[in-house]
Amino acid sequence: MIVYDRFARSWDERLLADRGPTGRAAAIAHGLDERLGDSMYRHPQGPVPLRPVLLPSALAEEMRTVGLRLLDIIRQVAATRATGVFELADLVGYRRPGVCMLTEDPEWNASAFEMARPDIVVSGGVVRVVECNIMSAVAGPEQVTRIDRYFREVYGPVDPCADTSRLVVPDVMGPRREVVRAVARTRGVNRPRVAVLGWDRGTGFGSAEYFGDVVDDFAQHGVDAEFAVPNDLEADRASLRHQGRRIDVALRMFVSADAPRADLDMSAPRDAMLAGTAITLSPEVADVYSSKKLLVWVSEAAEEMPSADRDFLDRHLPWTRLLVDDKVTWRGGSYGLVDLLLGERERFVIKPSDQHGGEGMSAGADTEPDAWAEAVERGLRDGSYIVQEFMRPDPLPVPVLRAADQSIEVARVASVFGPMLMGGQLGGILARHTDRADTTMVNAIGGGVMNTCWMTP
C-alpha cells in the first residue's frame, strides 16, 4: 500500500490544527472550489482536497513504465487481430462519427500512442491498469495545471505546514507540447501554428477560457497557438486555416464520438488530412485503440505470450473478458461466465467497452444481487460489455473537507491514478479520489474529486 510517511503526517497535523469553519483548512478548501468553479473537477457532494496526493517518486516512475509497456503490448496484440485500421475498427465495434477521420495512412497514424492516460489502482501494493485511454489530447492536464497552481500559491516555500521544496511537481504541459512539436518536425515544420480544438464558443467548460492555459503555455515556449472550434476551420488543397491563418497542427481536445452530439463539424480537419496539409492529434485511430475490447484481447492472449510478458500481465492487468454466455478459465478453474458472475458478484465489475467517465459501469461489490443480475443480462443483450476482476484500491490518507457536513479530517480514501504519458514522458498524474476507502467507482459521477499528485523523494 502507499505509505503515509512522516512528511505527509506532519503536513496534515499542522494543517488540521486549525480545522474550524473559519480556520486555514476550511479557507484552503473553499479557495480551491472557488478557483476551479464549475469545471467538472468534483461531484457536488464530493470531497474537497486540502493538499496534493503525495506519491513516492519510485511509484510514479513505475506507473509510467507499466503504462508504456502495456501500450506496447496493446499495439502488438491489435496487429495480430487485424490487418489494418478499418478491420480493427470493425472488430471492436467502433462507432464512426458522421465525419470520420480513420485512415490506413501509417504516417498519419504514427502518433496514435503518443498521448495516453492509463487508469491505475494500487491494490495490494501492486500497480494495476484497469483502463487505457488513448484518445484526443487526453483529459486531465488542464485540471491538474489549475490545481497545481493553486496549491503552489497556498503552500509557498516557507509555509509552516510543509517544506514543499522537497517535493517534485511534474511538468504537466511540457511533454504534450513536445509531442506536438515532434510530430510537426516529422512533417518538416519547425515552428508549427497550432489550433487547440475545443467545443464551446462561450466561456465555460471546453471554451477558449477553459483551454487558456494550453494556449498560453504554447506561446510562452515560442509556439504560435490559438483556440478554435472545428466549425470555424476552413480547408482546401493548399492549407487548413482559422480566421485566415494557416494551421499546421490541430490538437483535438475531445473524443471523436462526442463530436456529433456537440454539433462539431470535423469536415475541415478531415479535408486537410486527405490533402496532407495539416495533421490532427490524436489521429482518430487512437479512439479505436481505446476500446476496452483491446484489454480483453490482451488478457486472453496472455497465456500464449513469452513468460516475461505473461508474468507482467498477470501482475499488472486484471483478468478481463467480453461479457458473453461462454466458458472461461479463471484462477485455475473452468466456469460458465454468467454463473461465475452471479456466484462471485463482489469480485467483478461490468463496463461498456466504448464509454468513458464511468458511464454504464456496475460494480458487484456495491450492487444488490437482483440489480447485478439485471446488469449481467443487460450486458449480454448489448453484446459490447466487458467484465473485469475488481481490484480494490489500497486506502490512502488525504485531508479533505466533506461537502455534506463541512467536516474536515484526514480521510482514508479510494484512489485511481491517471499518469499522463506524452511521448514516453510523464506529464503529471491525475488523481481521482473519494472521501472514504470503500468506494468502488472512483470518479466525479460516483461522488469523487480530481486532484493532482506531487512526488516525494
Side-chain angles (χ1 to χ4, degrees):
M1 59 185 295
I2 303 171
V3 177
Y4 189 39
D5 66 13
R6 192 173 301 173
F7 179 84
R9 192 183 305 276
S10 173
W11 186 342
D12 294 343
E13 287 173 354
R14 291 170 182 265
L15 176 62
L16 269 61
D18 182 10
R19 70 173 78 187
T22 60
R24 189 182 185 208
I28 288 172
H30 294 312
L32 179 61
D33 248 3
E34 182 178 353
R35 176 70 63 87
L36 295 182
D38 184 20
S39 59
M40 307 291 288
Y41 95 101
R42 74 176 181 92
H43 186 277
Q45 298 304 312
V48 185
L50 305 184
R51 63 158 169 81
V53 171
L54 303 181
L55 293 180
S57 293
L59 178 57
E61 175 61 14
E62 183 181 6
M63 290 182 184
R64 184 186 74 87
T65 57
V66 166
L68 290 174
R69 185 169 178 183
L70 181 59
L71 288 174
D72 190 53
I73 292 174
I74 288 173
R75 188 201 314 259
Q76 294 176 38
V77 170
T80 68
R81 293 288 190 116
T83 58
V85 169
F86 297 135
E87 183 182 7
L88 178 64
D90 291 340
L91 288 173
V92 301
Y94 177 65
R95 302 175 188 179
R96 292 169 170 78
V99 178
C100 185
M101 297 179 67
L102 287 181
T103 174
E104 299 282 3
D105 185 344
E107 179 184 2
W108 182 270
N109 294 330
S111 60
F113 286 85
E114 291 300 294
M115 297 188 290
R117 197 201 69 215
D119 283 350
I120 288 174
V121 298
V122 178
S123 182
V126 178
V127 168
R128 304 179 191 272
V129 181
V130 296
E131 293 186 18
C132 213
N133 305 291
I134 315 168
M135 57 178 73
S136 67
V138 179
E142 295 71 41
Q143 294 289 353
V144 169
T145 297
R146 286 184 171 87
I147 298 171
D148 279 341
R149 184 183 299 121
Y150 178 76
F151 283 143
R152 280 180 185 269
E153 294 172 3
V154 168
Y155 298 108
V158 294
D159 188 271
C161 286
D163 179 10
T164 55
S165 65
R166 295 177 52 195
L167 302 176
V168 175
V169 183
D171 179 2
V172 177
M173 295 290 184
R176 183 173 63 184
R177 182 182 67 246
E178 292 308 309
V179 168
V180 172
R181 279 178 149 161
V183 169
R185 283 195 297 270
T186 66
R187 302 174 59 80
V189 180
N190 292 321
R191 291 183 60 86
R193 293 191 61 89
V194 178
V196 177
L197 298 186
W199 57 91
D200 188 342
R201 291 190 179 94
T203 59
F205 184 52
S207 67
E209 178 183 68
Y210 181 77
F211 291 117
D213 288 330
V214 183
V215 174
D216 290 346
D217 176 77
F218 278 120
Q220 290 165 12
H221 293 86
V223 178
D224 292 331
E226 58 197 81
F227 175 83
V229 174
N231 306 48
D232 296 335
L233 299 176
E234 298 178 334
D236 56 28
R237 296 193 63 81
S239 65
L240 177 68
R241 299 178 305 282
H242 178 240
Q243 297 178 346
R245 293 182 291 273
R246 186 196 79 254
I247 297 298
D248 300 301
V249 179
L251 188 62
R252 174 171 60 94
M253 308 300 285
F254 49 85
V255 177
S256 295
D258 289 344
R261 70 187 80 170
D263 292 327
L264 300 181
D265 185 357
M266 295 295 290
S267 297
R270 178 203 56 196
D271 293 347
M273 175 191 76
L274 295 175
T277 57
I279 192 163
T280 298
L281 298 178
S282 295
E284 193 169 312
V285 69
D287 294 30
V288 179
Y289 281 118
S290 294
S291 170
K292 298 176 186 68
K293 288 184 180 179
L294 272 294
L295 296 183
V296 170
W297 295 353
V298 170
S299 183
E300 289 176 338
E303 285 302 315
E304 307 302 322
M305 291 184 181
S307 59
D309 287 341
R310 184 171 64 249
D311 293 344
F312 169 83
L313 293 172
D314 285 346
R315 181 171 177 81
H316 296 294
L317 178 66
W319 184 92
T320 309
R321 293 294 186 272
L322 189 65
L323 180 46
V324 293
D325 190 2
D326 203 354
K327 290 284 186 181
V328 296
T329 300
W330 177 70
R331 292 187 174 270
S334 180
Y335 305 87
L337 180 55
V338 174
D339 291 339
L340 176 63
L341 294 178
L342 297 179
E344 299 283 352
R345 170 175 52 87
E346 296 187 357
R347 305 288 295 274
F348 295 99
V349 294
I350 295 172
K351 310 174 185 180
S353 64
D354 59 354
Q355 296 295 322
H356 52 92
E359 295 182 27
M361 177 178 166
S362 299
D366 62 6
T367 306
E368 293 298 320
D370 287 349
W372 177 251
E374 291 177 6
V376 172
E377 180 59 33
R378 184 167 57 250
L380 285 171
R381 289 197 305 269
D382 185 276
S384 64
Y385 278 64
I386 70 161
V387 57
Q388 189 175 73
E389 189 166 3
F390 174 57
M391 296 288 137
R392 183 170 294 281
D394 293 343
L396 174 68
V398 177
V400 300
L401 179 147
R402 288 191 165 98
D405 59 7
Q406 298 294 292
S407 63
I408 296 173
E409 64 179 292
V410 177
R412 289 167 58 82
V413 307
S415 303
V416 174
F417 301 101
M420 292 171 281
L421 306 178
M422 306 290 182
Q425 302 303 309
L426 181 63
I429 299 178
L430 169 69
R432 286 163 290 170
H433 62 77
T434 61
D435 60 358
R436 63 184 197 275
D438 60 351
T439 311
T440 54
M441 290 189 287
V442 185
N443 52 41
I445 294 175
V449 62
M450 295 181 184
N451 201 349
T452 184
C453 293
W454 291 2
M455 304 348 162
T456 60

